[in-house]
């Protein structure tokens, strides 16, 4: 019976969960996450993890994609920021990251191809995800081709909408245009209640979710942390959809 369940789960879409601490990464994997987006400061949209947090990467029993974002705010970067980001990529690789997540735009909100290509030159041996800077570009189909040309493996996107459910049709169009050249990863607002719809409309093979909650403990001062019940419920929904298709 166990082997049958594992075989079915192997056909389920991959679940990536973003977290801001080592403890939350371990909890998310235990609850069913297949891959981790490893950040700090999720309340600020996610920043590069600290060196101490990166030192624990090899203890996390799932591939980890490390956020490369040296400061909060927009995604237009000064040359000094880019130097720092390249160093952060090297540190992430040396720490055992499976890949890195980054993005950059110019003053017109188009992808900054020069900066992204420069950063990509530091990514040998790493998977690369273009983050949701992609959702701010004026022409996603054009930006898709740019991302492919730069060499990204994956684009995290809500289809230019506030969440992946409302952007599902656009995500489906991006997947069609990508034609297997790059993975389109739906993210933003993904939950157990809408995962099936998002997967069915888009045809995606991976989902990205935060499954987060904000603590009410005064000692934690409202810290954003993973909700393991949300992770496991989402995982079960994704597995159940795969089970249904295999019957």
């Amino acid at each position: 019976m166990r082997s049958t369940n594992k075989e079915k789960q192997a056909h389920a879409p991959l679940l990536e969960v973003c977290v801001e601490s080592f403890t939350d990464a371990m909890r998310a994997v235990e609850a069913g996450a297949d891959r981790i987006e490893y950040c700090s400061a999720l309340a600020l949209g996610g920043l590069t993890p600290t060196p101490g947090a990166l030192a624990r990467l090899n203890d996390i029993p799932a591939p980890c994609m490390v956020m490369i974002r040296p400061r909060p705010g927009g995604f237009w970067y000064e040359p000094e920021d880019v130097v720092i980001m390249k160093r952060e990529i090297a540190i992430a690789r040396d720490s055992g990251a499976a890949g890195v997540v980054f993005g950059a735009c110019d003053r017109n909100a188009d992808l900054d191809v020069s900066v992204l290509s420069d950063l990509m030159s530091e990514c040998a041996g790493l998977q690369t995800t273009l983050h949701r800077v992609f959702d701010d570009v004026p022409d996603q189909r054009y930006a898709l081709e740019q991302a492919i040309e730069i060499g990204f493996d994956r684009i995290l996107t809500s289809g230019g909408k506030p969440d992946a459910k409302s952007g599902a049709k656009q995500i489906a169009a991006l997947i069609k245009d990508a034609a297997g050249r790059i993975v389109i990863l739906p993210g933003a607002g993904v939950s157990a209640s809408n995962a099936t719809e998002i997967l069915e409309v888009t045809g995606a093979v991976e989902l990205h979710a935060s499954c987060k909650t904000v603590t009410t403990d005064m000692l934690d001062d409202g810290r954003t942390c993973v909700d393991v019940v949300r992770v496991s419920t989402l995982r079960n929904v994704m597995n159940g959809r795969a089970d249904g298709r295999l019957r």
Side-chain angles (χ1 to χ4, degrees):
M1 178 63 84
R2 287 182 180 178
S3 61
T4 301
N5 287 339
K6 287 181 179 179
E7 182 178 336
K8 289 181 178 181
Q9 289 180 7
H11 292 82
L14 182 146
L15 174 59
E16 176 181 277
V17 175
C18 60
V19 302
E20 69 172 22
S21 73
F22 171 77
T23 300
D24 280 353
M26 297 295 283
R27 289 172 176 166
V29 174
E30 178 66 23
D34 301 299
R35 186 173 67 220
I36 295 296
E37 182 186 279
Y38 203 47
C39 311
S40 66
L42 283 180
L44 299 175
L47 301 177
T48 307
T50 66
L54 289 172
R56 300 301 306 273
L57 278 180
N58 285 324
D59 296 323
I60 300 171
C64 291
M65 301 291 295
V66 172
M67 175 63 73
I68 304 297
R69 187 177 172 218
R71 55 157 177 76
F75 302 120
W76 184 86
Y77 293 111
E78 298 282 358
E80 293 81 3
D81 294 323
V82 177
V83 172
I84 291 170
M85 294 169 78
K86 291 169 75 172
R87 179 58 182 148
E88 289 176 337
I89 291 170
I91 294 171
R93 180 196 296 105
D94 293 344
S95 300
V100 288
V101 182
F102 59 90
C105 65
D106 61 23
R107 292 295 192 180
N108 298 315
D110 291 305
L111 295 184
D112 191 325
V113 173
S114 178
V115 167
L116 293 173
S117 297
D118 192 15
L119 294 172
M120 188 65 72
S121 71
E122 297 294 322
C123 295
L126 294 170
Q127 297 177 41
T128 52
T129 297
L130 177 63
H131 65 42
R132 290 187 62 211
V133 65
F134 183 81
D135 286 320
D136 294 330
V137 300
D139 185 340
Q140 288 197 327
R141 294 184 70 178
Y142 181 65
L144 169 66
E145 297 302 325
Q146 289 179 310
I148 292 169
E149 180 66 23
I150 292 166
F152 281 100
D153 298 299
R154 186 180 299 109
I155 298 173
L156 173 62
T157 180
S158 61
K161 301 294 185 180
D163 57 76
K165 180 180 177 181
S166 58
K169 290 184 179 179
Q170 172 66 1
I171 294 171
L174 290 167
I175 290 174
K176 181 179 179 180
D177 289 344
R181 295 174 295 162
I182 192 170
V183 174
I184 304 298
L185 174 60
V190 173
S191 67
S193 65
N194 60 28
T196 297
E197 179 181 350
I198 292 170
L199 289 168
E200 289 179 349
V201 172
T202 65
V205 296
E206 302 183 358
L207 288 179
H208 171 97
S210 61
C211 298
K212 63 188 176 184
T213 186
V214 177
T215 63
T216 56
D217 189 327
M218 289 179 61
L219 296 177
D220 268 347
D221 194 25
R223 186 178 77 82
T224 301
C225 59
V226 72
D227 185 326
V228 295
V229 174
R230 292 182 184 181
V231 176
S232 61
T233 304
L234 175 55
R235 175 76 274 170
N236 288 338
V237 167
M238 294 168 70
N239 286 347
R241 180 176 181 274
D243 289 349
R245 292 181 61 171
L246 286 167
R247 289 193 185 102

